[in-house]
Amino acid sequence: MLRAGAGISSTREPRPAAEQACEQALAGLNGPADGAVVFATPGHGDGLPELLDAAAVCLGTENLVGASSHGVLGRGLESGPAASLAVLAWQGIETRTFLLGDLQGGEDLAGEEIAARLGGAPRPEDLVVLLPDPRILHAGDLLAGVRRALAPACIVGAGSADAMGQPSQQWSGRKIECGALAGVVLRARLPARVGVTQACRPVTDLLTVTRCRGHWITELEGRPALDVYREVARGPLADDLPRAAAFLLVALPNARGELTPGAYRVRNVAGFAPESRAFALPHEVRPGDRIALALREPEMAREDLKAMLGNLGAPPSLGLYFNCCARGANFFGVAGLEAAYLEQAFGQAPLVGMFGSCEIGPIDELTELLTYTGVLALLDD
C-alpha cells in the first residue's frame, strides 16, 4: 500500500528545520520512509550537509533526492528563498534515486545511465523526476537522451536554482554536487496523472518566420519582426523594449501546430536589434517556423491553474508540483495563492513543490523544457 506524508519548514537552523519538516511527513507513514524528495532553498547556506544528515536520520532512509530551489510549497503554504524546506516521504513504492555528475558534454547519455539502474525495462507506470543544473547542462541533449532511453515512462522535473549568489546544488542521500543531475524513478502501480498550467496567453495568431539569421528573426509574415513586436506591445512598452520583454514573450506551438492551453511552450525574447528591426529567441530559427506572441497575465494564469486542477480529478496518494520562479507571489500579487488552490483541490493529500529555474513536463506526451509553467504530477495507489 502506498503511503505518503508532506512537511514544510521555514526554520533557519538546518537541523531543526529538517526535523520539523520530516516529522510532519512521517505523520502520514507507518514507520520509516522508503524514499523522499527534499527541496531546500540556498538560505540554509553551508548548513545543507547538516540538514540532509538530519533528514536521513529522521526519515530512516538514505533514499533522499533533491535540489536547491527558489522557494518551496506544501501543506497550503509557500515559502520564499530566505530559508525554507519541503519534504515528501513515502512507503510502499519501489524507489530508484540517482545523482549523475560530470555530464557536461555527455548529457545525451544520462537516460541510459538511469535506465541501467531500474532493474527492468521502463514502463508507462514509472514516474521519472529530473532535477538538473540548467546553467551547466544542455537541456535539449539531456531530454533527448532521457526520452529515448526511458520511454514510455512519464518524465517531469525542474531546473535547480542558484539564487542568492550561490551555485546550484543537487543531492542524493547525503552526497551533494554542483552542475549535476539528481532525480528519482518511482515505479508505481498506476500511471501518473500530469497537468501543465501556463502563465502566458497567446495574443496573436501563429505568425510565419519569413526571414531569419541564426537566433534572429528579421521578418514575420514579410514584415520587419520588431515592428510586429512593437505593434503588439503597444503604448509605453513599445518604446521600452527591455521592460516589454518581461511581459511579451513568444509561444511555440505543439507538433500539430496548435496553441491550445497546456499544449505550447513559452520562450523569452533573448535580444533586440532596433537598427535591423529584429529580435532573437534563445534557440536557432528557420524560415517557415511559426510562432505567436504571448502575454504574461496573472488573471489568465489563475483561471488556467483552476481549470488544470479541475481536470485532474480526485485527491492523489502523493503529488509533486514543479513551479516556475517567475510565478508565485510577485506574479499573482498574493502570497501562497497556488498552494491554496492545490489544497482546495486536493485537501490534505501529501503534496509538495519547488520553484525552479525551468520546468520539465509533457506537451502532447512529448517531454519538453518549459518556462513560466507549473507541472503537477500525481500518483495513486
Side-chain angles (χ1 to χ4, degrees):
M1 178 179 179
L2 174 58
R3 294 177 179 268
I8 188 169
S9 175
S10 57
T11 299
R12 188 164 194 78
E13 295 76 17
R15 187 168 295 276
E19 291 172 349
Q20 180 184 29
C22 290
E23 286 170 4
Q24 292 172 4
L26 284 171
L29 306 185
N30 182 19
D34 291 336
V37 168
V38 178
F39 299 133
T41 64
H44 293 289
D46 295 336
L48 182 59
E50 182 182 4
L51 186 153
L52 294 177
D53 179 73
V57 171
C58 190
L59 294 173
T61 182
E62 297 291 325
N63 279 334
L64 312 177
V65 69
S68 52
S69 65
H70 292 276
V72 301
L73 60 84
R75 299 171 67 92
L77 304 171
E78 292 178 18
S79 187
S84 53
L85 169 71
V87 175
L88 178 71
W90 56 80
Q91 296 170 324
I93 187 169
E94 184 181 341
T95 302
R96 305 282 180 164
T97 60
F98 53 87
L99 180 64
L100 307 180
D102 299 323
L103 280 179
Q104 193 170 15
E107 290 92 340
D108 60 327
L109 301 176
E112 295 177 10
E113 290 198 41
I114 298 168
R117 300 168 187 230
L118 291 185
R123 309 171 304 141
E125 297 84 2
D126 294 337
L127 178 65
V128 181
V129 176
L130 302 178
L131 303 170
D133 183 339
R135 294 185 182 267
I136 301 296
L137 302 179
H138 189 279
D141 291 345
L142 174 65
L143 292 183
V146 169
R147 285 193 298 253
R148 183 176 62 249
L150 295 176
C154 177
I155 303 164
V156 297
S160 54
D162 58 355
M164 302 175 66
Q166 296 190 27
S168 168
Q169 295 177 298
Q170 304 79 40
W171 51 84
S172 179
R174 309 185 203 206
K175 184 178 181 181
I176 304 167
E177 292 199 20
C178 298
L181 170 67
V184 61
V185 181
L186 296 177
R187 313 214 75 187
R189 187 175 65 85
L190 298 171
R193 292 180 279 149
V194 179
V196 176
T197 183
Q198 309 271 7
C200 300
R201 173 177 62 89
V203 290
T204 69
D205 293 332
L206 284 168
L207 306 169
T208 301
V209 176
T210 46
R211 289 187 63 192
C212 56
R213 185 182 67 257
H215 292 248
W216 291 92
I217 300 175
T218 53
E219 279 188 5
L220 285 170
E221 301 286 343
R223 299 182 55 213
L226 189 53
D227 290 5
V228 176
Y229 186 90
R230 288 185 191 273
E231 284 180 10
V232 177
R234 296 198 302 267
L237 284 181
D239 298 320
D240 187 351
L241 292 175
R243 184 164 176 263
F247 297 95
L248 188 60
L249 302 102
V250 171
L252 307 176
N254 62 15
R256 297 194 302 272
E258 297 173 338
L259 289 173
T260 52
Y264 56 87
R265 296 160 290 151
V266 173
R267 296 292 183 261
N268 291 306
V269 175
F272 297 98
E275 67 285 352
S276 57
R277 296 154 80 182
F279 64 85
L281 298 187
H283 62 272
E284 289 197 9
V285 190
R286 295 175 296 179
D289 284 352
R290 306 194 78 197
I291 68 168
L293 298 178
L295 186 67
R296 290 182 66 214
E297 193 173 75
E299 278 306 312
M300 184 285 301
R302 245 189 230 229
E303 293 306 310
D304 194 70
L305 174 62
K306 288 194 289 186
M308 182 265 281
L309 294 174
N311 289 335
L312 283 175
S317 298
L318 65 82
L320 286 162
Y321 188 49
F322 301 99
N323 203 14
C324 180
C325 61
R327 292 167 63 98
N330 289 337
F331 176 60
F332 289 107
V334 179
L337 181 138
E338 291 179 272
Y341 276 19
L342 287 163
E343 187 173 57
Q344 183 179 39
F346 303 126
Q348 300 302 308
L351 187 154
V352 303
M354 67 174 281
F355 290 86
S357 299
C358 58
E359 303 78 61
I360 297 168
I363 297 293
D364 282 350
E365 300 183 359
L366 181 65
T367 304
E368 298 278 8
L369 180 71
L370 306 174
T371 55
Y372 302 100
T373 62
V375 177
L376 179 61
L378 308 177
L379 282 182
D380 304 302
D381 191 18

